[in-house]
Amino acid sequence: MLFRSTTPSLEALQAYGLGIQAYDVTNDYAAAIPLFQRAVSLDPNFAMAYLRLGQSYQPLSELARAAESTRKAYELRGRTSEREKLEISSFYETIVTGNLEAARTSYELFAQTYPRDEDPQVFLWVTYFALGDYDRAHLAAQQAVSLNSASSNNYVSLIYADQWIDRLDEAKAAAQEARAKHVDSPWFPLVLYNVDFLEHDSAGMEREAANAIGKPGVDDQILFLESETAADGGEFSKSRELSRRAADSAQRTGEEETAAEYLGHTAVREALVGKMDWAKQEAKAAIMRANSRQGNGFSAIALALAGDSAQAARLSDDLRKNFPADTIVQYDYLPMIRAATALRSG
């Protein structure tokens, strides 16, 4: 991610450059956010800084904030270069409309127009993953690393993609290769924890969890992964406690949507194993934390499974109205809510 960015303010550009270093090189989104915020405070018309702010919020699951910043970038795109316009418009489809087919088409055009640019490959990885096209996601991640092997963000993408297509040895090798080049990321423990889980390596999982605990933007995610592991082992009391710790950790760093997502996800887990009272309690706690796409989506599924069809229907109606073009809402959440309601009613 080079500094091809339009701003008359040298100070804003300097803050932006430091933000890019945190975002792309060291892969620390929590550290990047205040730097991009400073850039837009110094130049309120700095479209690319707004875009990068949105792109920093997205991996942390703060989708409303990501959309707000991206809308601002989109409104200011007339002040930017043609390349910047294309990147802003592409991410707008990803995070504001949520139309993943439109995003895929736009990013593929971006990649064809700027074949030596890593950015379209980075976000094609995101788009292909969301569409379930893991082979193409893997190719995009490989291309991003080949274009910029100094980016820990690109290596994280590659390690995740290796895991999705069951190349676990390659995932570990990619992490070792990156670290040998002194390229590291606070996200490495998250994805390597998943690899260790798939290989039934409990010692490795404990090691990676210890490496992630206490890191802003990562601490909450490792706690939630541990809650998933506990649920997989049938330890639902432990799983519930870890989920709440994950939500509290996210809340402390201002990630309210993320906190709601954890609790909503937990509610679905509870409902699927027949713990309906817990499912309702966790779903309602999620709704109280934040009015969010992912938190409400998971909560509605859980409430439908638990027999609260009225509340599930209200949440479903809100999602349908608020995200009319969103691929995940329209083709994942809403059908699953209907399916859960049908299951409950026999």
Side-chain angles (χ1 to χ4, degrees):
M1 292 184 176
L2 304 178
F3 300 173
R4 298 182 293 265
S5 302
T6 306
T7 176
S9 169
L10 179 59
E11 284 186 274
L13 186 61
Q14 288 172 335
Y16 178 85
L18 292 171
I20 291 293
Q21 177 77 16
Y23 174 96
D24 191 41
V25 179
T26 60
N27 199 211
D28 189 340
Y29 304 116
I33 285 169
L35 293 165
F36 292 131
Q37 287 173 330
R38 174 163 173 74
V40 298
S41 71
L42 291 165
D43 178 7
N45 295 317
F46 195 170
M48 286 302 291
Y50 280 111
L51 178 70
R52 299 302 187 207
L53 186 55
Q55 290 172 340
S56 298
Y57 280 126
Q58 187 225 7
L60 302 177
S61 289
E62 287 299 299
L63 302 186
R65 291 180 180 180
E68 180 184 1
S69 296
T70 306
R71 284 192 190 95
K72 186 66 176 177
Y74 192 77
E75 291 167 3
L76 294 167
R77 71 192 187 283
R79 300 169 176 267
T80 64
S81 68
E82 290 305 311
R83 184 213 164 274
E84 290 170 338
K85 285 187 182 73
L86 187 51
E87 181 161 15
I88 290 168
S89 297
S90 299
F91 194 67
Y92 183 88
E93 296 291 359
T94 301
I95 207 68
V96 177
T97 70
N99 186 328
L100 295 179
E101 280 298 332
R104 179 187 61 78
T105 300
S106 187
Y107 276 119
E108 286 176 352
L109 173 62
F110 188 4
Q112 291 166 9
T113 308
Y114 299 94
R116 302 304 302 166
D117 194 322
E118 70 177 301
D119 285 13
Q121 301 300 334
V122 170
F123 290 100
L124 277 171
W125 171 82
V126 173
T127 307
Y128 289 142
F129 156 68
L131 290 168
D133 193 340
Y134 301 123
D135 288 324
R136 282 190 175 182
H138 187 258
L139 288 173
Q142 286 180 315
Q143 182 68 4
V145 169
S146 71
L147 290 168
N148 182 9
S149 61
S151 165
S152 60
N153 184 45
N154 291 346
Y155 269 104
V156 168
S157 299
L158 180 59
I159 298 165
Y160 269 120
D162 282 330
Q163 172 208 294
W164 295 330
I165 59 174
D166 200 27
R167 296 185 180 181
L168 303 184
D169 288 340
E170 287 90 336
K172 291 185 288 186
Q176 290 170 355
E177 175 185 306
R179 285 168 170 163
K181 296 177 180 178
H182 304 289
V183 176
D184 206 346
S185 165
W187 287 60
F188 279 2
L190 294 173
V191 63
L192 292 174
Y193 180 98
N194 287 333
V195 172
D196 290 335
F197 172 83
L198 292 169
E199 293 189 327
H200 309 289
D201 182 355
S202 57
M205 292 162 66
E206 289 178 10
R207 180 178 62 252
E208 298 302 342
N211 289 336
I213 287 293
K215 295 180 179 178
V218 174
D219 178 85
D220 58 297
Q221 297 193 56
I222 199 67
L223 286 167
F224 188 71
L225 286 177
E226 289 186 298
S227 82
E228 293 271 70
T229 303
D232 181 73
E235 300 176 276
F236 276 86
S237 294
K238 181 180 179 181
S239 174
R240 204 174 295 130
E241 175 59 25
L242 284 163
S243 292
R244 288 175 183 164
R245 285 177 59 195
D248 289 344
S249 175
Q251 192 90 41
R252 282 194 297 274
T253 55
E255 298 173 35
E256 296 176 357
E257 282 188 80
T258 309
E261 180 180 1
Y262 292 151
L263 296 175
H265 196 143
T266 300
V268 173
R269 286 196 312 234
E270 300 283 359
L272 288 173
V273 295
K275 298 179 180 293
M276 300 309 185
D277 288 341
W278 280 111
K280 290 178 183 178
Q281 180 175 317
E282 298 292 343
K284 289 173 182 177
I287 296 164
M288 290 293 291
R289 292 267 183 155
N291 181 22
S292 69
R293 184 193 80 166
Q294 59 272 44
N296 287 359
F298 282 124
S299 296
I301 295 164
L303 289 167
L305 287 169
D308 191 344
S309 58
Q311 177 73 325
R314 283 193 291 272
L315 291 170
S316 180
D317 288 343
D318 286 345
L319 288 166
R320 184 181 294 106
K321 292 172 186 174
N322 294 334
F323 303 96
D326 191 296
T327 303
I328 300 299
V329 169
Q330 298 297 326
Y331 296 97
D332 286 355
Y333 288 150
L334 297 182
M336 285 193 282
I337 295 165
R338 290 195 295 272
T341 303
L343 282 170
R344 180 68 182 191
S345 65

